[in-house]
Amino acid sequence: MKAMPWNWTCLLSHLLMVGMGSSTLLPRQSPPPSQKRSFVTFRGEPAESFNHLVVDERTGHIYVGAVNRIYKLSSDLKVLVTHQTGPDEDNPKCYPPRIVQTCNEPLTPTNNVNKMLLIDYKENRLIACGSLYQGICKLLRLEDLFKLGEPFHKKEHYLSGVNESGSVFGVIVSYNNLDDKLFIATAVDGKPEYFPTISSRKLTKNSEADGMFAYVFHDEFVASMIKIPSDTFTVIPDFDIYYVYGFSSGNFVYFLTLQPEMVSPPGSTTKEQVYTSKLVRLCKEDTAFNSYVEVPIGCERSGVEYRLLQAAYLSKAGAVLARTLGVRPEDDLLFTVFSKGQKRKMKSLDESALCIFILKQINDRIKERLQSCYRGEGTLDLAWLKVKDIPCSSALLTIDDNFCGLDMNAPLGVSEMVRGIPVFTEDRDRMTSVIAYVYKNHSLAFVGTKSGKLKKPPVHFSAGNPPPSVLT
């Protein structure tokens, strides 16, 4: 990554926004050599909160998703364009929404919380999804935020019934001569009959086409989706999968999640609910979602387990850190933040850890699990889909690094946790966000905290064992 001023703006403003949860962005400017480093700020409307931020990597323009508004800012945080998305008359119990059929529930002025913000570079548009009408998405022209389309005529156009920010994550898979795909993952908020927890959707060139957001494949028996079975909620009434981060790498799309499960404590005959962090992997070209695999992830340092995922970011290793880790400089690393404990997702303890995962090691673990299952060993081991006790079926075939599954032995769970490499821990001000990049062959990580602070100095990964050290 080139050391451009707007890159610093993106890195720091994103961290501070996520860490503070407020309406102030505090990015870094390149200061005169003889002066202290200064900051510029952008404040939204009074009592307005910011939800998401993306930066156009070609221009440096910043797009901010807020409650009832989308902002386009210059790289020095000057407002260029504003697009209003709400409030509007709505009721979250209306499904299908009133814009499709009459709803008997009382309608009240309702805010539109931005839940997802993505740049579709190929078509030069912004995908902005909000909480109104069960998750309607607008397609806005990047230049002036002019509304190109707002599909809402079909069931597939409603992407999420959850009304909070941070409940939806999307990954765009781009093709040269074909329409792109949108992999979208969402909490379902007790509505599994309406919303798949993960699906792949069509991104048509025409923003007003009827096929926009339709499932990539859908027939009577198979579709490009994963749904949570309704009977799962009889075991865990408040069950849901919360998506923290998503990305694509190689032939796969990945999502990092938090999800509840029932476990039996040592020496106890009763079960209790805990939360666990899992990585979900799907093949980009798998229209039937037979490649769905999930593997638990966590971190441990000095005998203390950190299991509640707070944030993650994909970056390259860089030459210096790669030598220490025994990987290539261009290999993908996951920089993650976990908090201590497993009992309460929304009330994480202040103790937290920054950890690194080598993506190839996770993929190797998944390949081993696929190979053993296709030898007929063990069970599918995915309790929330009610298949924990279904035995794996044997099949004579080669499972290589890019295997995408068959209509057997899927979806599949990995039982053994993959542990990350701990970098450092924080016991008082919980770490809540992370972003990383490579500068002059060195890996740098910037970390934001619960109180809205940016940890200074950044984490610098130098040669040696253990690999990480903090700049002084």
Side-chain angles (χ1 to χ4, degrees):
M1 180 182 293
K2 295 180 180 179
M4 297 181 181
W6 66 263
N7 281 334
W8 289 95
T9 300
C10 169
L11 288 166
L12 298 180
S13 63
H14 176 73
L15 279 169
L16 287 166
M17 182 184 71
V18 174
M20 297 170 66
S22 72
S23 59
T24 303
L25 299 181
L26 301 173
R28 196 177 200 167
Q29 288 184 312
S30 299
S34 59
Q35 298 181 10
K36 292 183 178 180
R37 292 173 177 174
S38 60
F39 293 87
V40 295
T41 63
F42 164 67
R43 297 182 183 274
E45 297 294 322
E48 180 181 70
S49 62
F50 295 150
N51 309 127
H52 295 97
L53 178 150
V54 292
V55 176
D56 190 329
E57 62 186 25
R58 303 165 303 185
T59 65
H61 291 146
I62 302 167
Y63 297 87
V64 179
V67 175
N68 296 327
R69 285 177 181 80
I70 305 294
Y71 292 98
K72 178 181 179 179
L73 310 177
S74 63
S75 59
D76 58 355
L77 299 192
K78 290 183 173 59
V79 178
L80 302 177
V81 188
T82 301
H83 179 92
Q84 188 162 346
T85 62
D88 203 353
E89 298 289 314
D90 191 22
N91 188 305
K93 295 181 181 179
C94 291
Y95 190 91
R98 65 174 179 86
I99 50 182
V100 173
Q101 69 180 40
T102 303
C103 180
N104 295 324
E105 300 292 339
L107 303 178
T108 58
T110 305
N111 287 332
N112 195 2
V113 178
N114 178 256
K115 296 195 296 184
M116 188 175 75
L117 205 62
L118 289 174
I119 294 178
D120 182 357
Y121 286 103
K122 182 192 286 187
E123 302 303 330
N124 201 43
R125 61 194 176 189
L126 187 72
I127 302 173
C129 303
S131 58
L132 282 178
Y133 318 132
Q134 305 291 352
I136 288 294
C137 298
K138 290 186 177 184
L139 295 115
L140 308 175
R141 190 162 58 200
L142 287 178
E143 182 182 4
D144 53 8
L145 298 186
F146 173 79
K147 187 175 77 173
L148 298 169
E150 188 177 15
F152 56 80
H153 295 295
K154 295 182 178 180
K155 181 180 179 181
E156 292 85 355
H157 293 153
Y158 308 100
L159 299 183
S160 170
V162 183
N163 289 324
E164 306 96 39
S165 173
S167 57
V168 182
F169 217 102
V171 176
I172 294 176
V173 175
S174 188
Y175 301 88
N176 290 328
N177 301 317
L178 301 172
D179 286 345
D180 291 351
K181 293 179 188 176
L182 171 64
F183 281 79
I184 188 161
T186 176
V188 301
D189 195 27
K191 303 172 185 175
E193 67 274 25
Y194 295 143
F195 303 105
T197 187
I198 297 183
S199 58
S200 61
R201 312 297 186 106
K202 296 177 182 178
L203 281 182
T204 61
K205 294 181 180 180
N206 180 358
S207 298
E208 295 184 315
D210 286 343
M212 178 66 73
F213 299 134
Y215 297 114
V216 170
F217 179 78
H218 196 187
D219 67 12
E220 186 178 356
F221 304 104
V222 179
S224 304
M225 68 171 79
I226 290 286
K227 278 197 170 187
I228 301 171
S230 297
D231 58 357
T232 298
F233 294 88
T234 63
V235 179
I236 307 179
D238 60 347
F239 182 87
D240 218 332
I241 300 178
Y242 303 92
Y243 294 88
V244 178
Y245 185 63
F247 62 94
S248 65
S249 176
N251 294 322
F252 301 102
V253 171
Y254 302 81
F255 291 99
L256 274 67
T257 74
L258 268 177
Q259 50 186 274
E261 61 181 25
M262 303 300 293
V263 299
S264 298
S268 174
T269 58
T270 61
K271 291 187 176 183
E272 63 177 355
Q273 180 175 316
V274 300
Y275 280 87
T276 187
S277 303
K278 293 187 177 182
L279 176 142
V280 171
R281 192 186 79 174
L282 286 157
C283 287
K284 292 178 180 177
E285 306 307 318
D286 177 14
T287 58
F289 275 31
N290 291 323
S291 60
Y292 183 100
V293 183
E294 65 179 34
V295 53
I297 56 173
C299 199
E300 180 180 336
R301 187 169 191 178
S302 301
V304 178
E305 285 198 342
Y306 300 87
R307 298 291 301 275
L308 291 178
L309 182 68
Q310 304 291 301
Y313 193 81
L314 184 74
S315 185
K316 299 298 181 182
V320 175
L321 182 56
R323 285 196 296 269
T324 301
L325 296 178
V327 299
R328 300 172 301 175
E330 65 273 18
D331 281 353
D332 284 332
L333 302 181
L334 267 174
F335 294 80
T336 59
V337 170
F338 289 85
S339 69
K340 181 182 173 182
Q342 285 186 268
K343 298 295 181 64
R344 297 287 185 270
K345 177 182 79 76
M346 302 305 294
K347 294 183 179 180
S348 301
L349 301 177
D350 283 335
E351 293 94 331
S352 55
L354 175 65
C355 305
I356 299 173
F357 291 85
I358 300 170
L359 190 59
K360 185 180 183 303
Q361 290 183 353
I362 295 177
N363 286 328
D364 288 344
R365 180 67 190 92
I366 291 175
K367 184 172 72 171
E368 291 171 3
R369 175 70 173 109
L370 286 165
Q371 290 171 335
S372 68
C373 190
Y374 276 86
R375 289 195 298 266
E377 300 171 1
T379 65
L380 300 192
D381 201 18
L382 201 59
W384 69 265
L385 280 176
K386 295 297 181 184
V387 295
K388 189 175 181 66
D389 298 322
I390 294 179
C392 290
S393 299
S394 179
L396 295 176
L397 72 164
T398 301
I399 309 293
D400 60 16
D401 290 343
N402 295 313
F403 179 72
C404 284
L406 303 174
D407 58 353
M408 59 185 290
N409 294 338
L412 185 65
V414 176
S415 58
E416 296 180 14
M417 184 175 68
V418 175
R419 298 183 182 274
I421 303 168
V423 175
F424 71 91
T425 58
E426 167 60 57
D427 293 336
R428 296 182 180 180
D429 191 8
R430 186 176 76 246
M431 295 179 284
T432 56
S433 55
V434 61
I435 201 165
Y437 81 117
V438 176
Y439 178 71
K440 293 184 177 179
N441 295 323
H442 289 266
S443 293
L444 297 174
F446 296 85
V447 179
T449 69
K450 180 183 69 173
S451 66
K453 295 179 181 178
L454 182 69
K455 277 199 166 293
K456 299 178 182 178
V459 182
H460 168 235
F461 301 93
S462 59
N465 187 23
S469 63
V470 178
L471 286 173
T472 55

